Structure formats: C-alpha cells, structure tokens
Amino acid sequence: MSERTIEPLIVVGVDGSNHSKEAVRWAVAQAALIGGRVHAVMAWDWNPNPFAIDPAAAGVADAGAVTAEEAARRKLADTVTAAVGASPGVPVFRRVEQGTPAQVLVDASKEADLTVVGTRGYGGFKGALLGSVSQQVVQYSAGTVVVVREGGAEDDD
C-alpha cells in the first residue's frame, strides 16, 4: 500500500493592494516549484452595532454583514484573478473569514507549511518596512513566513 501525500499548503494574505498581488504571485510561483497548493485568504470584520444603536435595529446590521462578506469575496476573487489569471497552473482556493486580518492569518498559519504576506496593504505609513499586519503575522505565526516586497510601481491608488 502506498503512502498518500498531501501537497504542501501555502497560505497567502490578500487585501486587494498591489503588495498583496505580489504576494499572491510569489505564493503561486512557489507552489508550482514545490508541487503545492495555495489558499488565498482575505479577512473581513463587521461591527454589528458600531454606534451602540438600539438592539432592535439588529436586523438591518445582519443584512450589512452579509453585504460586507460578499464584498470581501468579490474583492478576493478580483485580486487573485488580477494577480495570477483564471488558470494559474496550481490549485488556488479562495477563503474569506471574519476577523481582523492579522488574527485570521495567524490562525490560518497553523495549518500551513508556509505563510506569505505583502509588506504593507491599505493604511499605515508609506515609509514603513513592514505593515502592522505583516509584523503581527511574522511575530505570531505558527510557522515560516515570507514577506514579499512589491517590485514595481508604488501603490498610490
């Protein structure tokens, strides 16, 4: 009886920025080299009551949560397709999870052989070497982390 092997899993954080597109490209190229698979992960968070509104309005907030999650799914799909096309040559699964980006990626790192993040996403200081999310992932990840720097033009959009 032959031993069944599972392809190595690379988790890559995606936020829609050019930095995360570079990270997706790097993760897919690495997966191709090692015969692996990629999970492109995007986090979304929703505060159902940000202004302490009367709880009777919760039905409206729940509808907003579905909209926020669906928006994240669309943004993830668009970002992955823009980065590596519709047929990247390795299995790329898209995962959208509720929570803060750093915590979602740290949790995902527990099942990954490698976690990949960009240097910074939307927000933060332009001169920073690492964004706050990538710093937290590097610090708290359960395994090896690769931080991919953007190689092309600045992310000014």
Side-chain angles (χ1 to χ4, degrees), residues 103-157:
Q103 189 60 56
V104 166
L105 290 171
V106 167
D107 289 346
S109 76
K110 295 174 185 170
E111 65 192 51
D113 296 290
L114 180 65
T115 302
V116 180
V117 292
T119 51
R120 69 170 191 82
Y122 292 118
F125 299 100
K126 249 193 182 325
L129 295 177
L130 291 178
S132 60
V133 172
S134 53
Q135 279 186 327
Q136 290 176 56
V137 172
V138 166
Q139 186 170 0
Y140 297 110
S141 177
T144 304
V145 178
V146 170
V147 180
V148 178
R149 293 185 53 154
E150 183 182 16
E154 281 296 309
D155 186 14
D156 287 330
D157 29 7

Side-chain angles (χ1 to χ4, degrees), residues 1-7:
M1 192 185 259
S2 67
E3 192 174 308
R4 186 174 165 214
T5 60
I6 297 176
E7 302 102 353

Side-chain angles (χ1 to χ4, degrees), residues 1-60:
M1 192 185 259
S2 67
E3 192 174 308
R4 186 174 165 214
T5 60
I6 297 176
E7 302 102 353
L9 173 60
I10 299 173
V11 166
V12 59
V14 179
D15 66 2
S17 68
N18 286 338
H19 294 270
S20 72
K21 289 176 189 171
E22 288 289 330
V24 169
R25 283 190 276 274
W26 193 94
V28 166
Q30 183 65 18
L33 289 173
I34 64 173
R37 58 200 161 103
V38 174
H39 283 195
V41 178
M42 179 175 275
W44 71 276
D45 207 4
W46 177 260
N47 182 347
N49 200 0
F51 303 109
I53 300 172
D54 179 12
V60 174

